[in-house]
Amino acid sequence: MARGVARAVSFGRRATTGWCSYRRVTVAVCIGNLVAVLLVLRSLTAPASFAPTAPNRGEVVQYTEEQIRWVEESIRIRREAEPVELVLAVKKLRKKLAQEVKRREELSLVLKQKVYYDIARGLHELGDNSSLAQQREVVESWRVEKLKNIASTRNQSSLDLSSEETTLEFNWHMLLEDIGLWIPDEVTHTVHDDKPENEPEEEEIVAGPPLSPQCNAELHTDYDGAAVRWGLTHHKESAADCCQACLDQAKNAKPGELKCNIWVYCPSEFGCFSPDKYEHKHQECWLKQADHPKLNFKDKYSEPYRDAHPTAPVVVPWMSGVIGA
């Protein structure tokens, strides 16, 4: 029993010694954390104590020569980077636009309507097939005649005609824009050919099966002739089919009927131009007959023709062939 008491006393002494060691470590860690928290709180509540002091009012700040050189260099680079010419051009453009807006606001609505109806009446009398030159002549003749009438009635009437005269003489183009009328002074068709002289022409590809040699196909060509079959209601999938339709019609034609010897096909997906009133669409196949076939158009439309027909393209879109030629 005495030995048991001695062991218990010895165990309690070792436990007490261990507990005191852990407590000391825990207290030390807590104190360290508390000090860290206090330092953080101080830095948050008084940041100015760590910031550099600003110069007092009235105090002259001294810069080094290198700092001054850096500032001057940055100013120089910023000035060189400014688009001076662009800024000046924008200012001039704004000034010009402001002047045009001011002049446009001064144009009378009554005058615009009167000019519109008079010019529209004159252009309507020309018809739909009038050329640009004829339209320009009608408009300019109306303006000149109007100015003459104003000049002759200036001394005979008490009305103030200076505004109308100024508009017709100086603001004429602006007035035409306001009433929605614009006629180009000249239509110039320029074809740029930058292909080398000795380079061979590229062969144009036609959709569909190859054409028979007896079709005598010619690209960008439109032949004239009496209509054997109207293309408006006669469409074929390809030029070869159109040519074959002409051959079949000539072979199966009854006595006294016209025999097809000309086929005209529209290969363009956007349709083909023609001066008539119809809209000619893709895959139209015209079967024609002529004892002496004559060309309507070949390769390109002439400049006078395009002036008279503004919707005409440069290149003839049709392709044709004369059977047995």
Side-chain angles (χ1 to χ4, degrees):
M1 183 175 182
R3 289 180 180 179
V5 173
R7 289 180 180 177
V9 172
S10 176
F11 176 78
R13 188 179 300 166
R14 288 197 301 268
T16 304
T17 304
W19 179 85
C20 291
S21 176
Y22 293 147
R23 184 178 63 180
R24 289 173 184 176
V25 172
T26 303
V27 171
V29 173
C30 291
I31 292 174
N33 291 337
L34 182 59
V35 172
V37 171
L38 292 175
L39 290 175
V40 172
L41 290 175
R42 183 186 177 191
S43 64
L44 294 176
T45 56
S49 60
F50 299 96
T53 57
N56 296 327
R57 182 175 298 177
E59 182 180 351
V60 179
V61 180
Q62 298 294 335
Y63 295 100
T64 63
E65 293 184 359
E66 186 176 5
Q67 290 176 332
I68 296 175
R69 183 173 57 82
W70 286 349
V71 173
E72 292 177 348
E73 182 70 13
S74 64
I75 294 175
R76 184 186 63 81
I77 294 174
R78 187 164 57 251
R79 288 179 177 175
E80 290 180 355
E82 291 180 355
V84 180
E85 296 182 358
L86 179 61
V87 172
L88 294 177
V90 171
K91 289 182 178 179
K92 292 181 180 179
L93 181 60
R94 286 179 177 177
K95 184 178 180 180
K96 184 178 180 181
L97 291 176
Q99 293 175 352
E100 291 183 358
V101 170
K102 183 178 180 181
R103 288 199 301 266
R104 181 169 277 109
E105 290 176 351
E106 294 176 353
L107 297 179
S108 171
L109 178 59
V110 177
L111 177 60
K112 293 179 184 179
Q113 293 176 345
K114 186 176 184 301
V115 171
Y116 170 78
Y117 288 122
D118 290 348
I119 294 179
R121 189 183 302 109
L123 294 176
H124 181 70
E125 293 176 356
L126 283 178
D128 297 335
N129 296 327
S130 60
S131 63
L132 292 177
Q134 293 174 331
Q135 295 175 8
R136 286 196 301 269
E137 183 179 357
V138 168
V139 174
E140 186 62 23
S141 300
W142 179 89
R143 185 176 76 93
V144 172
E145 187 67 24
K146 194 67 175 178
L147 287 173
K148 289 181 180 179
N149 294 337
I150 293 175
S152 62
T153 58
R154 183 185 301 141
N155 298 328
Q156 303 176 6
S157 175
S158 59
L159 296 176
D160 183 13
L161 302 175
S162 58
S163 176
E164 184 176 359
E165 184 178 8
T166 302
T167 301
L168 295 178
E169 188 168 0
F170 300 105
N171 298 335
W172 175 241
H173 295 287
M174 186 182 299
L175 177 61
L176 293 181
E177 291 180 3
D178 285 353
I179 65 176
L181 176 63
W182 180 78
I183 302 176
D185 295 334
E186 182 179 359
V187 178
T188 304
H189 301 277
T190 304
V191 179
H192 299 278
D193 187 5
D194 54 356
K195 185 180 295 184
E197 295 181 358
N198 298 328
E199 184 175 349
E201 293 287 339
E202 295 182 0
E203 184 177 356
E204 189 169 347
I205 300 175
V206 179
L211 286 91
S212 172
Q214 59 182 336
C215 294
N216 298 310
E218 299 180 48
L219 295 175
H220 310 297
T221 306
D222 180 15
Y223 275 99
D224 191 14
V228 178
R229 185 72 183 271
W230 275 60
L232 295 175
T233 57
H234 185 236
H235 290 197
K236 292 297 180 179
E237 292 293 330
S238 65
D241 294 336
C242 183
C243 171
Q244 187 62 43
C246 182
L247 293 172
D248 293 342
Q249 193 279 334
K251 181 179 179 180
N252 299 323
K254 297 179 181 179
E257 290 184 347
L258 295 176
K259 293 184 178 182
C260 175
N261 65 338
I262 300 173
W263 60 272
V264 181
Y265 184 73
C266 177
S268 174
E269 296 181 357
F270 305 100
C272 294
F273 169 80
S274 183
D276 55 35
K277 63 180 180 179
Y278 302 105
E279 180 181 359
H280 298 274
K281 298 182 179 180
H282 180 213
Q283 297 181 344
E284 280 191 13
C285 177
W286 290 77
L287 306 184
K288 301 181 180 181
Q289 193 277 333
D291 295 334
H292 304 285
K294 288 195 269 184
L295 283 170
N296 282 331
F297 303 100
K298 179 72 174 177
D299 294 333
K300 298 179 180 180
Y301 295 105
S302 64
E303 290 189 11
Y305 183 84
R306 294 200 302 273
D307 290 339
H309 301 81
T311 58
V314 177
V315 179
V316 177
W318 299 92
M319 64 179 300
S320 306
V322 178
I323 304 297

